Amino acid sequence: MPGAALERTADPSRSYRSVTELPDSALDLACALSMLRRLQMVGWTRNHYRDALPAGLADEQIPGTKVCAYRYLENPRWLLE
């Protein structure tokens, strides 16, 4: 199975498309939903006690989300590259 994991990271869209036919618009939607989930997690993190989260997650959530947002705005499919 490790080989399969490496193959998925090399080209995730190929991995998705090996299961079923998937149009480009579905990949665009998947990337947008992933970004929305990331933004949702910022709110969730801010409304929970730090000890309810893995160590360091609360401190890294906003800076990490900013990086993801900039990358998404530059290229909405960056998650697949």
Side-chain angles (χ1 to χ4, degrees):
M1 291 309 249
L6 291 175
E7 185 176 325
R8 277 196 309 271
T9 58
D11 184 1
S13 67
R14 184 176 53 171
S15 169
Y16 292 130
R17 289 178 169 154
S18 69
V19 176
T20 187
E21 190 172 321
L22 195 62
D24 286 346
S25 60
L27 294 175
D28 293 339
L29 180 60
C31 290
L33 291 174
S34 179
M35 190 65 236
L36 286 172
R37 176 71 176 138
R38 180 77 191 218
L39 292 170
Q40 178 188 23
M41 286 303 299
V42 170
W44 186 93
T45 300
R46 291 296 175 204
N47 290 319
H48 287 76
Y49 294 108
R50 285 184 175 274
D51 61 358
L53 302 167
L57 178 65
D59 295 331
E60 293 300 321
Q61 196 67 289
I62 289 180
T65 299
K66 285 174 63 176
V67 169
C68 290
Y70 284 124
R71 288 181 181 168
Y72 178 78
L73 291 172
E74 288 175 5
N75 175 11
R77 288 196 185 183
W78 75 271
L79 291 167
L80 299 176
E81 295 176 350

